[in-house]
């Protein structure tokens, strides 16, 4: 849970800068913190920006969900003084941040100001291994002498991988972890790690870059512990298919975590309230076109459900106005 703790340590320092971000007097524009340039978050950010022509929309790459939340609340170290109005994050990262803040009035007051513009799609958990290795279950990963790459320390993948092991009853298992982000495509397995976790919307750029000759496989997730016990769980069952990744020989069951478009809880008299309402309405109005396969939009748009999007308790009030009646 190191990544979440890093966020928690930053929250107190973030309060003043978060409030300052809502009072900027400069030209009004939207800045969104996404993931890597070859990831699903970045592609979605580009396509969201296209839905609001005439508004300056800056997309900034990041290391993942944890960094995105740190940026949104106004703290990402002294080297970064940029304000962000929007972020793409995994729902489990936000849930665990809220859980860590519970009972601390100062932290809760800041975390409560992270609001959901709308839920988007499911990000599937991909667990890559070499095809010839006897690694076929989560338990095999725990019981064998392997090194697990859980992605960059500020990524949601990092948090999800470790949380998954905990929730499946392996919290006390001795496991070798490494944490570094991979470049576009997938480096040769065995070069520093034996297992690679990647939480991203399928088809992901990593999975799509794999060729049959690389002889890799995806390890299924068929046990869920308590992850699906709550109706409000950020997780759901999912399947990775040969249609998404032609190098697969059969369907692979897994879990998916909801991807969320989130913002800061700007007051209703703040100009960002109106701007984010306009953005939400533009997404809603343009969704049918994005879901049309002939538009070449990302296929994950077909999972966006506007009918239920406004039912969350944490929906941003200014986005809610655009979602009402949908």
């Amino acid at each position: 849970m190191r990544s979440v703790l890093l966020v928690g340590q930053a929250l107190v320092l973030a309060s003043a800068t978060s409030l300052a971000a809502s009072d900027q007097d400069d030209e009004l524009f939207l800045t969104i913190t996404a993931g890597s340039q070859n990831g699903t978050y970045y592609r979605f950010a580009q396509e969201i920006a296209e839905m609001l022509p005439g508004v300056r929309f800056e997309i900034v790459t990041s290391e993942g969900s944890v960094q995105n939340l740190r940026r949104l609340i106004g703290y990402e170290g002294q080297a970064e003084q940029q304000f962000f109005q929007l972020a793409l994050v995994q729902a489990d990262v936000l849930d665990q941040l809220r859980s860590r803040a519970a009972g601390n009035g100062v932290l809760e007051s800041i975390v409560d100001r992270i609001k959901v513009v709308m839920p988007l799609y499911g990000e599937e958990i991909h667990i890559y291994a070499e095809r010839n290795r006897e690694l076929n279950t989560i338990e095999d990963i725990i019981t064998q002498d392997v090194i697990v790459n859980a992605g960059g320390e500020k990524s949601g993948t990092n948090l999800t991988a470790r949380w998954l092991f905990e929730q499946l009853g392996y919290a006390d298992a001795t496991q070798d972890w490494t944490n570094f982000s991979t470049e576009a495509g997938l480096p040769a397995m065995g070069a520093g790690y034996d297992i690679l976790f990647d939480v991203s919307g399928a088809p992901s750029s990593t999975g799509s870059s794999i060729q049959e000759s690389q002889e890799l496989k995806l390890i299924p997730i068929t046990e869920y512990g308590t992850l699906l016990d709550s109706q409000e769980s950020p997780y759901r069952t999912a399947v990775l298919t040969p249609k998404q990744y032609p190098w697969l020989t059969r369907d692979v069951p897994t879990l998916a975590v909801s991807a969320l478009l989130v913002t800061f809880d700007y007051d209703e008299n703040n100009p960002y309230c109106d701007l984010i309402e306009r953005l939400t309405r533009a997404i809603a109005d343009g969704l049918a076109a994005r879901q049309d396969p002939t538009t070449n939009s990302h296929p994950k748009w077909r999972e966006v459900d506007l009918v239920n999007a406004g039912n969350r308790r944490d929906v941003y009030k200014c986005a809610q106005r655009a979602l009402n009646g949908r």
Side-chain angles (χ1 to χ4, degrees):
M1 297 302 97
R2 183 180 176 190
S3 294
V4 174
L5 293 176
L6 287 172
V7 178
Q9 292 166 1
L11 287 174
V12 175
L13 297 174
S15 58
T17 53
S18 293
L19 295 176
S22 65
D23 295 326
Q24 296 178 89
D25 294 325
D26 298 331
E27 173 196 359
L28 200 63
F29 64 93
L30 291 172
T31 304
I32 183 169
T33 173
S36 66
Q37 199 162 2
N38 57 20
T40 306
Y41 278 177
Y42 196 88
R43 170 86 175 271
F44 251 70
Q46 289 177 312
E47 295 181 356
I48 288 171
E50 292 171 1
M51 294 180 175
L52 199 62
V55 174
R56 181 180 161 195
F57 206 114
E58 184 176 0
I59 304 168
V60 181
T61 59
S62 77
E63 296 177 44
S65 289
V66 173
Q67 183 177 37
N68 290 347
L69 283 175
R70 285 165 59 98
R71 283 173 163 176
L72 188 68
I73 58 178
Y75 182 82
E76 181 50 13
Q78 294 181 352
E80 183 168 291
Q81 299 298 322
Q82 188 169 11
F83 294 122
F84 296 84
Q85 294 78 42
L86 295 166
L88 288 160
V89 302
Q90 292 172 208
D92 57 348
V93 175
L94 180 55
D95 281 4
Q96 290 182 57
L97 176 58
R98 286 171 173 160
S99 176
R100 295 300 186 273
N104 184 315
V106 175
L107 300 187
E108 283 186 323
S109 66
I110 300 170
V111 173
D112 283 347
R113 299 201 71 178
I114 300 172
K115 297 299 182 183
V116 175
V117 176
M118 65 171 61
L120 294 173
Y121 57 87
E123 296 184 76
E124 288 84 359
I125 301 176
H126 301 65
I127 309 177
Y128 296 97
E130 291 176 300
R131 194 178 300 169
N132 61 0
R133 295 288 298 270
E134 290 298 321
L135 296 167
N136 301 303
T137 66
I138 295 289
E139 185 175 4
D140 289 342
I141 298 174
I142 295 296
T143 57
Q144 296 190 36
D145 184 20
V146 296
I147 300 175
V148 179
N149 180 6
E153 289 196 19
K154 296 176 184 178
S155 69
T157 293
N158 187 326
L159 185 148
T160 297
R162 296 168 185 268
W163 181 248
L164 179 65
F165 279 29
E166 280 193 28
Q167 295 305 299
L168 296 182
Y170 302 120
D172 297 327
T174 301
Q175 191 64 50
D176 290 327
W177 295 90
T178 186
N179 301 106
F180 60 88
S181 301
T182 58
E183 300 298 328
L186 185 68
M189 303 294 287
Y193 61 90
D194 306 288
I195 297 290
L196 174 67
F197 268 80
D198 179 36
V199 181
S200 56
S204 70
S205 59
T206 295
S208 297
S209 71
I210 295 173
Q211 303 298 316
E212 178 66 24
S213 60
Q214 290 179 270
E215 297 187 343
L216 299 175
K217 65 183 176 182
L218 286 167
I219 296 176
I221 301 175
T222 56
E223 52 181 313
Y224 311 120
T226 61
L227 290 173
L228 302 179
D229 287 357
S230 169
Q231 288 186 341
E232 298 182 355
S233 171
Y235 303 100
R236 60 175 174 79
T237 58
V239 179
L240 298 166
T241 71
K243 183 177 180 180
Q244 296 164 325
Y245 304 119
W247 52 272
L248 283 177
T249 58
R250 62 181 182 274
D251 289 353
V252 178
T254 188
L255 288 172
V257 58
S258 296
L260 306 174
L261 177 62
V262 299
T263 188
F264 190 75
D265 190 18
Y266 299 107
D267 295 334
E268 292 189 72
N269 61 352
N270 189 292
Y272 280 120
C273 170
D274 176 67
L275 193 53
I276 292 171
E277 179 183 355
R278 287 171 53 198
L279 175 65
T280 308
R281 197 174 304 281
I283 295 173
D285 291 343
L287 182 59
R290 289 294 177 189
Q291 292 179 332
D292 182 348
T294 64
T295 63
N296 292 321
S297 297
H298 196 286
K300 279 295 183 178
W301 280 108
R302 294 167 214 162
E303 295 183 18
V304 178
D305 176 15
L306 289 179
V307 174
N308 297 305
N311 293 339
R312 294 179 59 102
R313 291 178 295 177
D314 55 358
V315 171
Y316 180 40
K317 55 186 176 289
C318 300
Q320 182 79 67
R321 297 198 294 248
L323 295 172
N324 282 345
R326 299 242 174 217

